């Protein structure tokens, strides 16, 4: 039986339809979904020279679904051909707070890539693990990277309830390069390492580059035995050390109002008079120490001073604000919630993050802000503040 013209036409249409469907199915299996392609290219772009490209790539990865982002970041952190991409992938992975990150961080402790080890040390500082201190102590013998060793000693300070760690860190206060000793003293103060009171007190008495670190650490320890040392320094220490002395005495709970006023007056004097940059840095840092400890008015003072300031005066104030954000993010959000100049304050914080070299700690701050954003209700002041931070800091 012969086919009519209309029958042939219908057959040809059917053949064409089958061909199109088969082609689509074949293409679907041959190529990953568009979302996966976008995520992969974003991870690759984490290593681009152009800063705007890197920032956009990081934002895209942070917004990717966890089920896709975490495996992709684990793969990139473990074996990407670009070492910088591996580093950034590991940092971004930490912000997802996924338990699968632990094994990658554990492996990164032995990586030849300095950046990867730095992130891994910071991770185990904030995610303590039984037996890790023994491994970290062994690392001290060989770890001497300028940015890596401070991260290692901070991680060890988090395990300060262990006798072997206490013995080692207390000894490092008095020996080694000043850069590394400074990091040790700062970490011991942050972790309230009373076991290191004696060596820190000795350093505090000596005029030099570590004196300010030691003075502030004495205040952070909260041991009133430090008052005798601090009162002596009030009388004999150089002018540039006096903001730290005042902050330390305040941290001990003594005459906080008058000591904080002295620091604020010193900062304001240094801001309006050229040639007192060292005094401005010291007073800004002293206010940051008070703010991290919970004194909200210290944050307000820094923001009030920093917003209208121009460099070189703006930089030390911004850095102090950045330190507070990394050590006490809840305080920053609380203070910003009460301000009408939210955008300007957020931009001041952005200046700090542009100068800081604290990738892991910054990512922790970003993760905290993102969680606060989603936990707050639509139209609330918390949602407004966290949204402003997300936009200004471009994360």
């Amino acid at each position: 039986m012969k086919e009519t013209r209309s029958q042939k036409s219908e057959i040809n249409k059917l053949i064409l339809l089958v061909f199109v469907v088969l082609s689509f199915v074949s293409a679907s299996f041959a190529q990953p979904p568009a979302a996966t392609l976008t995520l992969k290219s974003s991870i690759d772009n984490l290593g681009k020279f152009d800063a705007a490209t890197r920032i956009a790539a990081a934002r895209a990865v942070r917004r990717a679904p966890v089920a896709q982002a975490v495996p992709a970041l684990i793969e990139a952190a473990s074996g990407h051909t670009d070492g910088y991409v591996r580093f950034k992938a590991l940092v971004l992975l930490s912000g997802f707070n996924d338990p699968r990150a632990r094994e990658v961080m554990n492996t990164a402790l032995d990586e030849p890539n300095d950046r990867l080890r730095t992130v891994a040390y910071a991770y185990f500082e904030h995610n303590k693990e039984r037996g890790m201190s023994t491994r970290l102590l062994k690392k001290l013998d060989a770890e001497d990277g300028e940015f890596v060793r401070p991260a290692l000693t901070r991680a060890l300070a988090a395990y300060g309830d262990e006798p072997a760690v206490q013995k080692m860190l207390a000894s490092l206060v008095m020996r080694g390069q000043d850069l590394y000793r400074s990091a040790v003293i700062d970490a011991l103060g942050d972790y309230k390492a009373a076991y290191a009171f004696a060596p820190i007190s000795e350093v505090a008495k000596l005029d030099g580059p570590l004196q300010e670190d030691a003075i502030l650490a004495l205040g952070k320890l909260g041991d009133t035995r430090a008052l005798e040392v601090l009162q002596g320094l009030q009388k004999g220490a150089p002018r540039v050390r006096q903001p730290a002395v005042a902050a330390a005495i305040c941290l001990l709970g003594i005459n906080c109002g008058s000591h904080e006023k002295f620091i604020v007056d010193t900062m304001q004097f240094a801001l309006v008079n050229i040639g007192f940059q060292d005094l401005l840095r010291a007073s800004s840092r002293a206010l940051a120490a008070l703010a991290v400890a919970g004194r909200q008015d210290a944050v307000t003072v820094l923001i009030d001073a920093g917003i209208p300031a121009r460099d070189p005066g703006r930089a030390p104030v911004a850095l102090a604000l950045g330190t507070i954000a990394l050590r006490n993010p809840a305080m920053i959000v609380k203070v910003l919630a009460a301000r009408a100049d939210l955008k300007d304050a957020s931009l001041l914080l952005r200046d700090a993050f542009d100068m800081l070299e604290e990738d892991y700690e910054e990512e922790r701050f970003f993760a905290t802000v993102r969680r606060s954003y989603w936990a707050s209700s639509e139209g609330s002041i918390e949602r407004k503040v966290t949204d402003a931070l997300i936009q200004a800091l471009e994360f």
Side-chain angles (χ1 to χ4, degrees):
M1 185 175 67
K2 293 184 179 180
E3 297 171 336
T4 65
R5 181 173 298 180
S6 61
Q7 287 176 322
K8 287 183 179 180
S9 177
E10 291 300 321
I11 292 172
N12 288 336
K13 287 180 181 179
L14 181 61
I15 292 172
L16 179 61
L17 177 62
V18 171
F19 177 78
V20 171
V21 170
L22 289 175
S23 298
F24 176 78
V25 171
S26 176
S28 298
F29 282 105
Q31 295 181 358
T36 305
L37 283 174
T38 302
L39 179 58
K40 183 182 184 305
S41 61
S42 293
I43 291 175
D44 289 341
N45 284 342
L46 293 172
K48 296 297 184 182
F49 180 78
D50 179 63
T53 301
R54 294 197 307 272
I55 291 170
R59 294 188 72 176
V61 174
R62 292 188 187 102
R63 285 157 175 73
V66 174
Q68 296 177 21
V70 170
L73 288 170
I74 290 174
E75 181 181 359
S78 303
H80 200 281
T81 55
D82 186 324
Y84 188 79
V85 171
R86 293 185 66 195
F87 157 65
K88 292 300 294 185
L90 194 61
V91 170
L92 289 170
L93 177 63
S94 70
F96 282 88
N97 196 31
D98 190 285
R100 288 171 288 181
R102 185 262 166 208
E103 188 57 39
V104 186
M105 297 291 181
N106 185 57
T107 301
L109 287 172
D110 297 320
E111 279 284 348
N113 185 319
D114 286 4
R115 294 179 181 271
L116 293 176
R117 295 200 308 278
T118 302
V119 175
Y121 291 139
Y123 176 85
F124 286 108
E125 174 191 350
H126 297 287
N127 297 272
K128 293 177 63 177
E129 185 173 298
R130 183 180 295 275
M132 182 55 66
S133 63
T134 301
R135 188 174 176 189
L136 295 176
L137 283 169
K138 291 179 180 178
K139 293 287 186 181
L140 280 173
D141 293 335
E143 195 63 82
D144 59 358
E146 181 177 351
F147 300 105
V148 189
R149 190 176 177 89
L152 170 58
T153 52
R154 280 202 70 87
L156 276 168
Y159 297 80
D161 55 344
E162 301 180 23
V165 173
Q166 293 181 5
K167 181 179 179 181
M168 176 58 73
L169 290 184
S171 70
L172 290 178
V173 173
M174 302 301 294
R175 62 184 176 87
Q177 297 181 36
D178 284 352
L179 173 67
Y180 302 146
R181 292 173 65 197
S182 173
V184 171
I185 293 168
D186 187 52
L188 290 172
D190 288 343
Y191 282 96
K192 301 187 182 304
Y195 59 85
F197 174 81
I200 292 175
S201 295
E202 290 305 309
V203 176
K205 297 173 186 177
L206 303 174
D207 185 23
L210 299 177
Q211 188 175 32
E212 183 179 290
D213 298 319
I215 291 170
L216 289 173
L218 285 178
K220 294 175 188 177
L221 293 182
D223 191 325
T224 54
R225 291 180 296 167
L227 186 58
E228 181 180 353
V229 175
L230 296 172
Q231 287 176 332
L233 291 170
Q234 271 187 313
K235 300 174 183 177
R239 182 185 186 185
V240 74
R241 305 282 185 253
Q242 294 305 322
V245 174
I249 295 175
C250 175
L251 289 171
L252 294 179
I254 301 169
N255 297 328
C256 244
S258 60
H259 286 109
E260 186 172 337
K261 183 179 184 303
F262 166 77
I263 300 170
V264 172
D265 290 345
T266 302
M267 181 191 68
Q268 292 174 340
F269 166 82
L271 266 173
V272 299
N273 291 278
I274 298 174
F276 292 94
Q277 193 74 2
D278 56 347
L279 204 57
L280 176 58
R281 183 198 62 80
S283 53
S284 298
R285 186 183 181 192
L287 285 171
L290 297 182
V292 170
R295 293 190 67 83
Q296 182 174 324
D297 48 349
V299 187
T300 300
V301 168
L302 284 167
I303 296 175
D304 287 344
I307 287 176
R310 295 292 178 267
D311 281 332
R314 184 179 171 95
V317 179
L319 282 172
L321 190 66
T323 299
I324 301 166
L326 299 185
R327 302 286 185 256
N328 193 344
M331 174 69 75
I332 292 291
V333 174
K334 182 179 180 181
V335 171
L336 292 183
R339 299 191 68 93
D341 52 359
L342 179 56
K343 181 179 179 181
D344 289 336
S346 299
L347 292 175
L348 181 65
L349 189 57
R350 186 178 72 180
D351 286 354
F353 280 20
D354 286 344
M355 292 182 281
L356 287 167
E357 293 288 344
E358 300 276 359
D359 294 84
Y360 178 86
E361 298 292 348
E362 289 177 37
E363 196 64 35
R364 289 185 77 236
F365 176 78
F366 296 160
T368 299
V369 171
R370 290 199 303 274
R371 286 194 296 269
S372 297
Y373 177 89
W374 290 114
S376 59
S377 58
E378 186 71 35
S380 66
I381 186 62
E382 290 80 9
R383 177 66 66 90
K384 179 182 178 182
V385 171
T386 51
D387 182 61
L389 287 171
I390 290 169
Q391 298 307 318
L393 302 179
E394 300 180 300
F395 65 90

